[in-house]
Amino acid sequence: MYRTVTCGELRLADAGKIVTLAGWVQRIRKMGGMTFIDLRDRYGITQLAFNQGTEAFEKANGLGREFVLQVVGQVIERQAKNPQLPTGEIEIDVKQLTILNPAVTPPFTIEDETDGGDDLRMKYRYLDLRRQCVRKNLELRHKMAFEVRRYLDEQGFLEVETPVLVNSTPEGARDFVVPSRMNPGLFYALPQSPQTLKQLLMVSGFDRYFQIVKCFRDEDLRADRQPEFTQIDCEMSFVEQEDILNMFEGMSRHLFKTILNIDLPKLPRMTWADAMKYYGSDKPDTRFDMTFVELHDIFHAAEANKAEEERFSVFANAAYIGGICAKGCATYTRKQLDALTEFVKRPQIGAKGMVYARVEENGNVKSSVDKFYSQDVLQQIAAEMKAESGDLILILSGDDAMKTRKQLSELRLEMGKQLGLRDPKKFSCLWVIDFPMYEWSDEENRLMAMHHPFTSPKPEDIPLLDTDPASVRANAYDMVINGVEVGGGSIRIHDAQLQEKIFEILGFTKEEAQTKFGFLMNAFKYGAPPHGGLAYGLDRFVSLFAGLDSIRDCIAFPKNNQGRDVMLGAPGVLDPIQLDELMLDIRKK
Amino acid sequence: MYRTVTCGELRLADAGKIVTLAGWVQRIRKMGGMTFIDLRDRYGITQLAFNQGTEAFEKANGLGREFVLQVVGQVIERQAKNPQLPTGEIEIDVKQLTILNPAVTPPFTIEDETDGGDDLRMKYRYLDLRRQCVRKNLELRHKMAFEVRRYLDEQGFLEVETPVLVNSTPEGARDFVVPSRMNPGLFYALPQSPQTLKQLLMVSGFDRYFQIVKCFRDEDLRADRQPEFTQIDCEMSFVEQEDILNMFEGMSRHLFKTILNIDLPKLPRMTWADAMKYYGSDKPDTRFDMTFVELHDIFHAAEANKAEEERFSVFANAAYIGGICAKGCATYTRKQLDALTEFVKRPQIGAKGMVYARVEENGNVKSSVDKFYSQDVLQQIAAEMKAESGDLILILSGDDAMKTRKQLSELRLEMGKQLGLRDPKKFSCLWVIDFPMYEWSDEENRLMAMHHPFTSPKPEDIPLLDTDPASVRANAYDMVINGVEVGGGSIRIHDAQLQEKIFEILGFTKEEAQTKFGFLMNAFKYGAPPHGGLAYGLDRFVSLFAGLDSIRDCIAFPKNNQGRDVMLGAPGVLDPIQLDELMLDIRKK
């Protein structure tokens, strides 16, 4: 060992000891007859003191940032203590200094507040990772993964490694593929998730399976997506939805307690229908209320009594009118309100406009549609919305209720942000349940599985499969924290006849179903237990716990939006010999 | 939950309880007025009893093997107890039987001793995994991985996930590659190991890193090789070889204790030179002695006194003559000895022949080369080999000492096997240390790095780099258990000048070194700490603990020798649309 202690452990009680330390030069301060160096390692920072006239002093003055040192010295009490630092009461009177490795000047400062831009930091990610604020995210990730394993192990789950070189999955996103040299012309696929394999493990009787596992999706990358990401993948046999919700609520409780020392209350459950109705989102941020109030009936009643030419055609023709109440925001200026209107009109959100109404001190409601509606109607609106003096009402409307709700959801989140209601240190968790089985795809002109085709319908909704499939609810559930879907899953179908019916509704012929899913269906013939499960996105889960906006910051070596690792230079050019061995040619543009 | 108890937990103390069980039909026995079913789940087997005249009895008689059942019944004491079974004192008097899923007859019996051949079991791996003997290997794997994590976490190691989509590595085996759709014509590589990335993490100051991680090698598959395999990958900073040996000896001790309840003694250390000299192998099976004795000097002295025509030319011209002593094997028949001769002459081993000598009851030595050597010489041999009455001496010779030793090693292992000295339940662990830095490659006509080019030489051997590089020993080490290399690693070079010199000896120009390794070398410029590490093969480690011959049996979904997963049908044909998106063409043969 090059050290007897780390840079994070010495305290005043250690004064007098002779110690050996090793680490990196964080900072050098020359003050007349003394030179001070902050020596850094993963565990902390310790101040080194060098006295003029010593050999070590001369050497110390020749050092630069990020040099790697080994020092031997005596622990002494500091004159000027630093209460910010756990080691701030002591320093090392250095007797002997060895330069283990010199360092050229790094391209950016290794500090929490660095001068390095994103691209530069990604190129030198190994230096970026030296910054304490970055490293602590990865320490958190380690701890969370470890506690997940500890909890699941205690609950009798077995971690089973499933293969990375698998076959292409039907009905998913785009696969990454791997050409097989031993089987020229054939390709492996990298798994988008071990869904099929974990279901097979249930058929095998593994009973309780989990895996913290890399998954891969070749999608066009949006912000906060990575081509490779990590799932906490779980499956259980002989269970119903209630069992799974309890088991994984327990896991979350364990994580909140052991990692953040937060006692998680019993998770509320919200149906998907309510989530859409009150938050316009299947992953509502419940750190703050500001829930939607539907105003369609009041406005339509008001319109009904009017002459054609007096009507506010926007509302009169709207399929959906909904509002949110921003407490205490009646003081918003015209400029602020115009900015909100611009916000909802951005193409990513797509609203046509926004109506607002302030409840004034005297109780009067002053709105942007005063010329269309009487104070009486506006008072009805305020009452419906429980808006009080000083509150601001924001209203969106549209032809498509679902789309308008999503727009209103964005507005709600923006208001939550502006009002400081989305504190990353505060956590609000819930289950969203009773997802619909299907969603209509305009593109494919058919019903699509909202989760995946193995998701089971609610038993009481099974009769609806014949009459009104779009209204059938699934035994599917998501865990949502602070507006982020951290996990989700479903109870699977284990009945062959029911599965056939589901395929039929999804528009597959028997032959197509066999071709696409025959592999799993065949396995099910040999005795499949009732089973279900879920998967958490570890990257998201960690970034939530870390209070980060992006998953990238809790990944050691992330890829950029072009799917490139600029540090490694991946992807790169292949040696022509490899292409020959793989029997592949690259097409010319 | 479909059950209140599992099939493994009921005992006599539970008699009288009403319970619900779920599981698979292992066996059905109809005995007049009673039908008995063994119900199986992951946790055990419970006997169900059905009485004639009940509805459940009628249903039970219609069941087949591997049906999935749920039963409600009362725990009762068994008439005929089964002491082999933890639940063997009770059975369930079934009141109610629900068929959760029927099963078609499986293609082989789900028993420890199955009638299914390898290919069939691989095709239906999900049924093979139902067999207790297979599943328990995966339970062991889970436990070992978990205990590895627990130990390393306690020692302050952080598990950091490194990417799977990386760049091609220089100087390794063949990479699997992944075409990038977003960067047409460019390819990612799958990592052969996270070697470079873990060294970068040391540059980042992570201090103690580990990862249980999938690695990939596109090699022509020999027995016991898989294209994807799992490593316990570790690296530490500010350490010397001694620190690493102690840390990971501790890990092995922890595993042996927690998993097998074996107290591992302090691991002996053997130099590579001694391992080759006494065992002819860098991974000696030390469960038994039978070490090599070099006989060159005695035979050559004997030859020296003879006339040319009386000489035994095989020995007279041999560069190496070595023997092993098989205790008590003087009774080996001529047929057995001929079989041993055939064994060493097989092309995989390649010896020209074998000389043997029996020490008879009266102390006389009777050999296959009696006509060339006097009893006096043979007595010298017996004495040198510490052979006693009743022992058998087996001798190989050859022009190339290293090759002959390897042949003698195979013979030693075969004798160990024949004598039952290689009990898979007995463990003999050691460190093999002081590996040579280089080995000569006839193919490349240059020195090659035995470990990898970042391995550091022993400080005391550094002067030899200039004069006799082939004799330089490395700070490299392997952990060997029962003749299997379960792990290995080295202290890395952190000194830029020394690294340059090593590249020079390996025959790289400065430019080549920069092209191949510049990426890591550049990172080192920013302050690399002294560091080192090692990696264990988890598959091997588990199969050793399980007493298995092949790693395949401790992998949930292994690939066959053609790299195929016959269950998944991977690799498979790619959709032409995918090839278009990837801008790739498959060459016609």
Side-chain angles (χ1 to χ4, degrees), chain A residues 137 163 168 173 179 199 221 223 326 377 454 459 491 493 500 503 536 549:
Chain A
N137 295 331
S168 226
Q199 292 194 246
L221 299 175
V377 170
F454 307 111
I491 298 295
I493 299 167
E500 265 179 39
F503 284 145
Y536 284 86
D549 290 328

Side-chain angles (χ1 to χ4, degrees), chain A residues 269-282 284 291-292 294 405 430-434:
Chain A
R269 297 181 188 181
M270 192 185 292
T271 64
W272 178 86
D274 277 353
M276 296 311 295
K277 185 174 177 186
Y278 295 114
Y279 297 90
S281 167
D282 57 5
T291 47
F292 297 2
E294 295 194 0
R405 284 192 180 111
L430 74 157
W431 288 108
V432 175
I433 57 173
D434 297 358

